[in-house]
Short mmCIF file of all heavy atoms in Angstrom, two decimals:
data_model
loop_
_atom_site.label_atom_id
_atom_site.label_comp_id
_atom_site.label_asym_id
_atom_site.label_seq_id
_atom_site.Cartn_x
_atom_site.Cartn_y
_atom_site.Cartn_z
N MET A 7 67.55 39.13 -17.25
CA MET A 7 66.76 37.93 -17.14
C MET A 7 65.36 38.30 -16.63
O MET A 7 65.22 39.02 -15.65
CB MET A 7 67.45 36.96 -16.18
CG MET A 7 66.76 35.66 -16.06
SD MET A 7 67.82 34.57 -15.10
CE MET A 7 66.69 33.29 -14.80
N LYS A 8 64.36 37.78 -17.29
CA LYS A 8 62.98 38.11 -16.92
C LYS A 8 62.57 37.31 -15.69
O LYS A 8 62.93 36.16 -15.53
CB LYS A 8 62.02 37.78 -18.04
CG LYS A 8 62.10 38.68 -19.22
CD LYS A 8 61.00 38.31 -20.20
CE LYS A 8 60.97 39.25 -21.35
NZ LYS A 8 59.91 38.92 -22.30
N SER A 9 61.76 37.96 -14.88
CA SER A 9 61.22 37.24 -13.74
C SER A 9 60.02 36.42 -14.22
O SER A 9 59.48 36.62 -15.30
CB SER A 9 60.79 38.20 -12.64
OG SER A 9 59.69 38.95 -13.07
N ILE A 10 59.61 35.49 -13.43
CA ILE A 10 58.47 34.62 -13.77
C ILE A 10 57.21 35.46 -13.91
O ILE A 10 56.39 35.23 -14.81
CB ILE A 10 58.29 33.53 -12.70
CG1 ILE A 10 59.47 32.57 -12.76
CG2 ILE A 10 56.99 32.77 -12.91
CD1 ILE A 10 59.46 31.50 -11.70
N GLU A 11 57.05 36.46 -13.07
CA GLU A 11 55.86 37.31 -13.12
C GLU A 11 55.76 38.05 -14.45
O GLU A 11 54.68 38.12 -15.04
CB GLU A 11 55.86 38.30 -11.96
CG GLU A 11 55.67 37.66 -10.62
CD GLU A 11 55.84 38.64 -9.48
OE1 GLU A 11 56.10 39.83 -9.73
OE2 GLU A 11 55.72 38.20 -8.33
N SER A 12 56.84 38.60 -14.92
CA SER A 12 56.79 39.35 -16.17
C SER A 12 56.61 38.41 -17.36
O SER A 12 56.05 38.80 -18.37
CB SER A 12 58.04 40.21 -16.34
OG SER A 12 59.20 39.39 -16.43
N ALA A 13 57.05 37.17 -17.26
CA ALA A 13 56.87 36.20 -18.33
C ALA A 13 55.42 35.69 -18.35
O ALA A 13 54.91 35.35 -19.41
CB ALA A 13 57.83 35.03 -18.15
N MET A 14 54.77 35.66 -17.23
CA MET A 14 53.40 35.14 -17.14
C MET A 14 52.37 36.19 -17.54
O MET A 14 51.25 35.83 -17.90
CB MET A 14 53.10 34.65 -15.71
CG MET A 14 53.92 33.45 -15.29
SD MET A 14 53.55 32.00 -16.27
CE MET A 14 51.91 31.64 -15.72
N ARG A 15 52.73 37.46 -17.50
CA ARG A 15 51.77 38.53 -17.81
C ARG A 15 51.19 38.39 -19.22
O ARG A 15 49.97 38.41 -19.38
CB ARG A 15 52.41 39.89 -17.61
CG ARG A 15 51.44 41.02 -17.89
CD ARG A 15 51.96 42.35 -17.46
NE ARG A 15 51.90 42.39 -16.00
CZ ARG A 15 52.75 43.06 -15.24
NH1 ARG A 15 53.71 43.75 -15.77
NH2 ARG A 15 52.62 43.05 -13.93
N PRO A 16 51.97 38.21 -20.28
CA PRO A 16 51.37 38.05 -21.62
C PRO A 16 50.50 36.79 -21.73
O PRO A 16 49.47 36.80 -22.38
CB PRO A 16 52.57 37.96 -22.56
CG PRO A 16 53.72 38.49 -21.80
CD PRO A 16 53.42 38.28 -20.36
N ILE A 17 50.93 35.73 -21.08
CA ILE A 17 50.15 34.49 -21.11
C ILE A 17 48.81 34.70 -20.42
O ILE A 17 47.77 34.26 -20.91
CB ILE A 17 50.95 33.34 -20.45
CG1 ILE A 17 52.19 33.03 -21.30
CG2 ILE A 17 50.08 32.10 -20.29
CD1 ILE A 17 53.17 32.08 -20.64
N ALA A 18 48.82 35.40 -19.30
CA ALA A 18 47.58 35.67 -18.58
C ALA A 18 46.66 36.56 -19.41
O ALA A 18 45.44 36.36 -19.42
CB ALA A 18 47.88 36.31 -17.23
N MET A 19 47.23 37.54 -20.12
CA MET A 19 46.41 38.41 -20.97
C MET A 19 45.78 37.63 -22.11
O MET A 19 44.60 37.81 -22.41
CB MET A 19 47.26 39.57 -21.51
CG MET A 19 47.64 40.59 -20.44
SD MET A 19 48.64 41.93 -21.09
CE MET A 19 47.50 42.69 -22.20
N ILE A 20 46.56 36.77 -22.75
CA ILE A 20 46.02 35.96 -23.84
C ILE A 20 44.92 35.05 -23.32
O ILE A 20 43.86 34.91 -23.94
CB ILE A 20 47.15 35.15 -24.52
CG1 ILE A 20 48.08 36.09 -25.27
CG2 ILE A 20 46.58 34.08 -25.45
CD1 ILE A 20 49.35 35.45 -25.76
N PHE A 21 45.14 34.44 -22.19
CA PHE A 21 44.13 33.56 -21.58
C PHE A 21 42.86 34.34 -21.27
O PHE A 21 41.76 33.89 -21.53
CB PHE A 21 44.71 32.93 -20.31
CG PHE A 21 43.80 31.93 -19.67
CD1 PHE A 21 43.55 30.71 -20.28
CD2 PHE A 21 43.19 32.21 -18.46
CE1 PHE A 21 42.71 29.79 -19.68
CE2 PHE A 21 42.35 31.30 -17.86
CZ PHE A 21 42.11 30.07 -18.48
N GLY A 22 42.99 35.54 -20.74
CA GLY A 22 41.83 36.37 -20.43
C GLY A 22 41.06 36.76 -21.68
O GLY A 22 39.84 36.74 -21.71
N ILE A 23 41.78 37.11 -22.74
CA ILE A 23 41.12 37.47 -23.99
C ILE A 23 40.38 36.26 -24.57
O ILE A 23 39.26 36.39 -25.06
CB ILE A 23 42.16 38.03 -25.00
CG1 ILE A 23 42.65 39.40 -24.51
CG2 ILE A 23 41.57 38.13 -26.39
CD1 ILE A 23 43.85 39.93 -25.26
N LEU A 24 40.98 35.09 -24.50
CA LEU A 24 40.33 33.88 -24.99
C LEU A 24 39.06 33.59 -24.19
O LEU A 24 38.02 33.23 -24.76
CB LEU A 24 41.28 32.68 -24.92
CG LEU A 24 42.39 32.65 -25.97
CD1 LEU A 24 43.35 31.50 -25.70
CD2 LEU A 24 41.82 32.55 -27.36
N LEU A 25 39.12 33.74 -22.88
CA LEU A 25 37.94 33.51 -22.05
C LEU A 25 36.83 34.50 -22.39
O LEU A 25 35.65 34.12 -22.49
CB LEU A 25 38.28 33.62 -20.57
CG LEU A 25 38.96 32.41 -19.95
CD1 LEU A 25 39.34 32.70 -18.50
CD2 LEU A 25 38.08 31.19 -20.04
N LEU A 26 37.18 35.75 -22.58
CA LEU A 26 36.20 36.76 -22.96
C LEU A 26 35.57 36.43 -24.31
O LEU A 26 34.35 36.53 -24.48
CB LEU A 26 36.85 38.15 -23.00
CG LEU A 26 35.95 39.31 -23.39
CD1 LEU A 26 34.82 39.46 -22.37
CD2 LEU A 26 36.74 40.59 -23.48
N GLY A 27 36.38 36.02 -25.26
CA GLY A 27 35.87 35.64 -26.58
C GLY A 27 34.91 34.46 -26.50
O GLY A 27 33.87 34.44 -27.16
N MET A 28 35.24 33.48 -25.68
CA MET A 28 34.36 32.31 -25.53
C MET A 28 33.05 32.72 -24.87
O MET A 28 31.98 32.23 -25.23
CB MET A 28 35.06 31.21 -24.73
CG MET A 28 36.17 30.57 -25.51
SD MET A 28 37.09 29.20 -24.75
CE MET A 28 36.60 29.11 -23.09
N ALA A 29 33.12 33.60 -23.90
CA ALA A 29 31.90 34.05 -23.22
C ALA A 29 30.99 34.81 -24.18
O ALA A 29 29.78 34.62 -24.18
CB ALA A 29 32.27 34.92 -22.02
N LEU A 30 31.57 35.65 -25.01
CA LEU A 30 30.78 36.40 -25.97
C LEU A 30 30.20 35.49 -27.05
O LEU A 30 29.07 35.67 -27.49
CB LEU A 30 31.62 37.50 -26.62
CG LEU A 30 32.00 38.65 -25.70
CD1 LEU A 30 32.95 39.61 -26.43
CD2 LEU A 30 30.77 39.40 -25.22
N ALA A 31 30.94 34.48 -27.45
CA ALA A 31 30.45 33.54 -28.46
C ALA A 31 29.29 32.73 -27.92
O ALA A 31 28.36 32.39 -28.64
CB ALA A 31 31.58 32.63 -28.91
N ALA A 32 29.33 32.43 -26.64
CA ALA A 32 28.25 31.64 -26.03
C ALA A 32 26.97 32.45 -25.92
O ALA A 32 25.89 31.88 -25.80
CB ALA A 32 28.69 31.16 -24.65
N CYS A 33 27.04 33.75 -25.99
CA CYS A 33 25.87 34.61 -25.83
C CYS A 33 25.20 34.95 -27.16
O CYS A 33 24.25 35.72 -27.17
CB CYS A 33 26.26 35.91 -25.13
SG CYS A 33 26.77 35.66 -23.44
N GLU A 34 25.68 34.43 -28.27
CA GLU A 34 25.13 34.81 -29.56
C GLU A 34 23.69 34.33 -29.71
O GLU A 34 22.79 34.87 -29.10
CB GLU A 34 26.01 34.29 -30.68
CG GLU A 34 27.27 35.11 -30.85
CD GLU A 34 28.07 34.68 -32.05
OE1 GLU A 34 27.52 34.04 -32.95
OE2 GLU A 34 29.26 35.00 -32.07
N GLU A 35 23.46 33.36 -30.52
CA GLU A 35 22.11 32.91 -30.80
C GLU A 35 21.75 31.71 -29.93
O GLU A 35 22.60 30.92 -29.56
CB GLU A 35 21.98 32.51 -32.27
CG GLU A 35 22.04 33.69 -33.21
CD GLU A 35 21.78 33.26 -34.63
OE1 GLU A 35 20.99 32.33 -34.84
OE2 GLU A 35 22.36 33.87 -35.51
N GLU A 36 20.46 31.61 -29.67
CA GLU A 36 19.98 30.45 -28.93
C GLU A 36 19.91 29.27 -29.88
O GLU A 36 19.47 29.40 -31.02
CB GLU A 36 18.59 30.70 -28.37
CG GLU A 36 18.54 31.73 -27.26
CD GLU A 36 17.14 31.86 -26.69
OE1 GLU A 36 16.18 31.44 -27.33
OE2 GLU A 36 17.03 32.40 -25.59
N GLY A 37 20.30 28.12 -29.39
CA GLY A 37 20.17 26.90 -30.17
C GLY A 37 18.76 26.35 -30.04
O GLY A 37 17.90 26.92 -29.35
N PRO A 38 18.48 25.22 -30.66
CA PRO A 38 17.14 24.64 -30.61
C PRO A 38 16.69 24.29 -29.19
O PRO A 38 15.53 24.47 -28.84
CB PRO A 38 17.24 23.40 -31.48
CG PRO A 38 18.57 23.39 -32.10
CD PRO A 38 19.38 24.49 -31.51
N ALA A 39 17.62 23.81 -28.37
CA ALA A 39 17.25 23.45 -27.00
C ALA A 39 16.86 24.68 -26.19
O ALA A 39 15.89 24.65 -25.43
CB ALA A 39 18.41 22.71 -26.32
N GLU A 40 17.60 25.76 -26.36
CA GLU A 40 17.29 27.00 -25.63
C GLU A 40 15.96 27.58 -26.10
O GLU A 40 15.17 28.09 -25.30
CB GLU A 40 18.40 28.04 -25.81
CG GLU A 40 19.67 27.71 -25.06
CD GLU A 40 20.62 26.85 -25.87
OE1 GLU A 40 20.28 26.48 -27.01
OE2 GLU A 40 21.70 26.52 -25.37
N GLN A 41 15.70 27.51 -27.42
CA GLN A 41 14.43 28.01 -27.95
C GLN A 41 13.27 27.19 -27.40
O GLN A 41 12.24 27.76 -27.00
CB GLN A 41 14.45 27.97 -29.48
CG GLN A 41 15.39 28.98 -30.09
CD GLN A 41 15.50 28.83 -31.59
OE1 GLN A 41 15.00 27.88 -32.18
NE2 GLN A 41 16.19 29.76 -32.23
N LEU A 42 13.43 25.87 -27.37
CA LEU A 42 12.38 25.01 -26.83
C LEU A 42 12.16 25.30 -25.35
O LEU A 42 11.03 25.39 -24.88
CB LEU A 42 12.73 23.54 -27.04
CG LEU A 42 11.73 22.52 -26.51
CD1 LEU A 42 10.38 22.70 -27.20
CD2 LEU A 42 12.25 21.11 -26.72
N GLY A 43 13.25 25.48 -24.61
CA GLY A 43 13.15 25.81 -23.20
C GLY A 43 12.41 27.11 -22.96
O GLY A 43 11.60 27.23 -22.05
N SER A 44 12.68 28.09 -23.80
CA SER A 44 12.00 29.39 -23.67
C SER A 44 10.51 29.24 -23.93
O SER A 44 9.68 29.84 -23.24
CB SER A 44 12.59 30.40 -24.65
OG SER A 44 13.91 30.70 -24.32
N LYS A 45 10.16 28.44 -24.94
CA LYS A 45 8.75 28.22 -25.25
C LYS A 45 8.05 27.50 -24.11
O LYS A 45 6.91 27.83 -23.75
CB LYS A 45 8.60 27.44 -26.55
CG LYS A 45 8.94 28.25 -27.77
CD LYS A 45 8.79 27.44 -29.05
CE LYS A 45 9.17 28.26 -30.26
NZ LYS A 45 9.04 27.47 -31.51
N ILE A 46 8.73 26.53 -23.53
CA ILE A 46 8.15 25.80 -22.40
C ILE A 46 7.96 26.73 -21.21
O ILE A 46 6.92 26.73 -20.56
CB ILE A 46 9.02 24.58 -22.02
CG1 ILE A 46 8.95 23.53 -23.13
CG2 ILE A 46 8.60 23.99 -20.67
CD1 ILE A 46 9.92 22.39 -22.97
N ASP A 47 8.97 27.54 -20.92
CA ASP A 47 8.87 28.50 -19.82
C ASP A 47 7.69 29.44 -20.02
O ASP A 47 6.93 29.73 -19.09
CB ASP A 47 10.15 29.32 -19.69
CG ASP A 47 11.32 28.52 -19.15
OD1 ASP A 47 11.08 27.44 -18.59
OD2 ASP A 47 12.47 28.98 -19.31
N GLN A 48 7.53 29.93 -21.25
CA GLN A 48 6.44 30.86 -21.55
C GLN A 48 5.09 30.16 -21.38
O GLN A 48 4.16 30.74 -20.81
CB GLN A 48 6.58 31.40 -22.96
CG GLN A 48 5.56 32.44 -23.32
CD GLN A 48 5.76 32.99 -24.72
OE1 GLN A 48 6.65 32.55 -25.47
NE2 GLN A 48 4.96 33.96 -25.09
N ALA A 49 4.97 28.91 -21.85
CA ALA A 49 3.72 28.18 -21.73
C ALA A 49 3.37 27.92 -20.27
O ALA A 49 2.21 28.07 -19.86
CB ALA A 49 3.80 26.85 -22.49
N VAL A 50 4.35 27.57 -19.47
CA VAL A 50 4.11 27.32 -18.05
C VAL A 50 3.69 28.61 -17.35
O VAL A 50 2.78 28.61 -16.51
CB VAL A 50 5.37 26.71 -17.39
CG1 VAL A 50 5.27 26.71 -15.87
CG2 VAL A 50 5.61 25.30 -17.91
N GLU A 51 4.33 29.71 -17.71
CA GLU A 51 3.99 31.00 -17.10
C GLU A 51 2.55 31.40 -17.47
O GLU A 51 1.78 31.85 -16.61
CB GLU A 51 4.96 32.08 -17.56
CG GLU A 51 4.79 33.39 -16.84
CD GLU A 51 5.87 34.41 -17.20
OE1 GLU A 51 6.99 33.99 -17.50
OE2 GLU A 51 5.55 35.61 -17.17
N GLU A 52 2.19 31.22 -18.73
CA GLU A 52 0.83 31.55 -19.17
C GLU A 52 -0.20 30.66 -18.47
O GLU A 52 -1.26 31.13 -18.06
CB GLU A 52 0.71 31.41 -20.69
CG GLU A 52 1.43 32.51 -21.44
CD GLU A 52 1.44 32.29 -22.94
OE1 GLU A 52 0.81 31.31 -23.42
OE2 GLU A 52 2.07 33.09 -23.64
N ALA A 53 0.12 29.38 -18.33
CA ALA A 53 -0.80 28.47 -17.64
C ALA A 53 -0.96 28.87 -16.18
O ALA A 53 -2.07 28.86 -15.64
CB ALA A 53 -0.30 27.03 -17.74
N GLY A 54 0.13 29.25 -15.55
CA GLY A 54 0.06 29.71 -14.17
C GLY A 54 -0.79 30.96 -14.03
O GLY A 54 -1.56 31.10 -13.07
N ASP A 55 -0.66 31.87 -14.99
CA ASP A 55 -1.48 33.09 -14.96
C ASP A 55 -2.96 32.76 -15.09
O ASP A 55 -3.80 33.33 -14.39
CB ASP A 55 -1.07 34.04 -16.09
CG ASP A 55 0.31 34.66 -15.87
OD1 ASP A 55 0.82 34.62 -14.72
OD2 ASP A 55 0.89 35.19 -16.85
N LYS A 56 -3.29 31.81 -15.97
CA LYS A 56 -4.69 31.44 -16.16
C LYS A 56 -5.26 30.76 -14.93
O LYS A 56 -6.41 30.99 -14.55
CB LYS A 56 -4.83 30.56 -17.39
CG LYS A 56 -4.61 31.34 -18.67
CD LYS A 56 -4.87 30.51 -19.90
CE LYS A 56 -4.58 31.39 -21.11
NZ LYS A 56 -5.18 30.91 -22.31
N VAL A 57 -4.45 29.93 -14.29
CA VAL A 57 -4.90 29.27 -13.05
C VAL A 57 -5.15 30.32 -11.98
O VAL A 57 -6.14 30.26 -11.25
CB VAL A 57 -3.87 28.22 -12.58
CG1 VAL A 57 -4.17 27.75 -11.18
CG2 VAL A 57 -3.84 27.03 -13.55
N LYS A 58 -4.24 31.30 -11.88
CA LYS A 58 -4.42 32.36 -10.89
C LYS A 58 -5.69 33.17 -11.17
O LYS A 58 -6.45 33.49 -10.26
CB LYS A 58 -3.21 33.29 -10.87
CG LYS A 58 -3.23 34.33 -9.77
CD LYS A 58 -1.94 35.11 -9.75
CE LYS A 58 -1.85 36.09 -8.63
NZ LYS A 58 -2.93 36.99 -8.45
N GLU A 59 -5.92 33.49 -12.46
CA GLU A 59 -7.14 34.23 -12.82
C GLU A 59 -8.39 33.43 -12.47
O GLU A 59 -9.36 33.98 -11.93
CB GLU A 59 -7.13 34.54 -14.31
CG GLU A 59 -6.14 35.60 -14.73
CD GLU A 59 -6.05 35.75 -16.24
OE1 GLU A 59 -6.92 35.21 -16.95
OE2 GLU A 59 -5.11 36.39 -16.71
N ALA A 60 -8.37 32.13 -12.74
CA ALA A 60 -9.52 31.29 -12.43
C ALA A 60 -9.75 31.22 -10.93
O ALA A 60 -10.89 31.27 -10.45
CB ALA A 60 -9.31 29.89 -13.00
N ALA A 61 -8.67 31.14 -10.16
CA ALA A 61 -8.79 31.10 -8.71
C ALA A 61 -9.36 32.43 -8.18
O ALA A 61 -10.18 32.44 -7.26
CB ALA A 61 -7.44 30.81 -8.08
N ASP A 62 -8.91 33.53 -8.77
CA ASP A 62 -9.42 34.83 -8.35
C ASP A 62 -10.91 34.96 -8.66
O ASP A 62 -11.69 35.46 -7.83
CB ASP A 62 -8.64 35.96 -9.05
CG ASP A 62 -7.22 36.09 -8.53
OD1 ASP A 62 -6.91 35.55 -7.45
OD2 ASP A 62 -6.41 36.74 -9.24
N GLU A 63 -11.32 34.49 -9.85
CA GLU A 63 -12.74 34.54 -10.21
C GLU A 63 -13.57 33.68 -9.26
O GLU A 63 -14.65 34.09 -8.82
CB GLU A 63 -12.94 34.05 -11.65
CG GLU A 63 -12.56 35.07 -12.69
CD GLU A 63 -12.81 34.54 -14.09
OE1 GLU A 63 -13.75 33.72 -14.27
OE2 GLU A 63 -12.08 34.94 -15.01
N LEU A 64 -13.07 32.50 -8.95
CA LEU A 64 -13.79 31.61 -8.04
C LEU A 64 -13.90 32.23 -6.67
O LEU A 64 -14.97 32.18 -6.03
CB LEU A 64 -13.08 30.27 -7.95
CG LEU A 64 -13.72 29.20 -7.09
CD1 LEU A 64 -15.10 28.84 -7.63
CD2 LEU A 64 -12.83 27.97 -7.01
N GLU A 65 -12.85 32.88 -6.22
CA GLU A 65 -12.89 33.53 -4.92
C GLU A 65 -13.90 34.66 -4.90
O GLU A 65 -14.64 34.84 -3.92
CB GLU A 65 -11.50 34.07 -4.57
CG GLU A 65 -11.39 34.66 -3.19
CD GLU A 65 -10.00 35.16 -2.85
OE1 GLU A 65 -9.05 34.88 -3.61
OE2 GLU A 65 -9.88 35.85 -1.83
N GLN A 66 -13.97 35.43 -5.99
CA GLN A 66 -14.93 36.53 -6.05
C GLN A 66 -16.36 35.99 -6.05
O GLN A 66 -17.25 36.59 -5.45
CB GLN A 66 -14.69 37.36 -7.31
CG GLN A 66 -13.45 38.23 -7.22
CD GLN A 66 -13.19 38.98 -8.51
OE1 GLN A 66 -13.92 38.85 -9.48
NE2 GLN A 66 -12.14 39.77 -8.52
N LYS A 67 -16.61 34.88 -6.72
CA LYS A 67 -17.95 34.33 -6.80
C LYS A 67 -18.40 33.74 -5.47
O LYS A 67 -19.57 33.72 -5.16
CB LYS A 67 -18.03 33.26 -7.89
CG LYS A 67 -17.96 33.85 -9.28
CD LYS A 67 -18.04 32.80 -10.34
CE LYS A 67 -17.93 33.43 -11.72
NZ LYS A 67 -18.00 32.42 -12.78
N THR A 68 -17.45 33.26 -4.67
CA THR A 68 -17.82 32.65 -3.39
C THR A 68 -17.95 33.69 -2.29
O THR A 68 -18.47 33.39 -1.22
CB THR A 68 -16.78 31.58 -2.97
OG1 THR A 68 -15.49 32.18 -2.90
CG2 THR A 68 -16.77 30.44 -3.94
N ASP A 69 -17.51 34.92 -2.52
CA ASP A 69 -17.63 35.96 -1.49
C ASP A 69 -19.02 36.49 -1.41
O ASP A 69 -19.93 36.56 -1.99
CB ASP A 69 -16.66 37.11 -1.77
CG ASP A 69 -15.25 36.73 -1.39
OD1 ASP A 69 -15.07 35.81 -0.59
OD2 ASP A 69 -14.31 37.38 -1.92
#
């Protein structure tokens, strides 16, 4: 007679494989929302860089 632990081992392995498969599937391609988010992030970062450059120039001119 099998113990509960030995009966649960294959179920746990199948569950782990399914979780791994779902995680890998989620990492494939970015959808439209992720692409838009990336573009927004990039635009905000570029704007921040330009503001910093302008602040640095203003600081140099006032020195």
Side-chain angles (χ1 to χ4, degrees):
M7 183 172 168
K8 289 185 175 180
S9 68
I10 293 176
E11 291 173 1
S12 63
M14 294 295 291
R15 182 169 286 149
I17 294 171
M19 289 180 65
I20 291 170
F21 185 69
I23 291 169
L24 286 174
L25 281 176
L26 179 62
M28 290 182 351
L30 290 174
C33 293
E34 284 186 20
E35 290 185 33
E36 291 184 342
E40 288 87 359
Q41 290 174 352
L42 179 61
S44 294
K45 288 180 181 179
I46 291 171
D47 289 343
Q48 184 178 3
V50 168
E51 188 174 330
E52 288 174 4
D55 290 343
K56 289 185 181 199
V57 168
K58 186 175 184 309
E59 288 173 13
D62 290 344
E63 283 182 30
L64 182 62
E65 185 179 350
Q66 286 176 0
K67 289 180 181 180
T68 57
D69 283 340

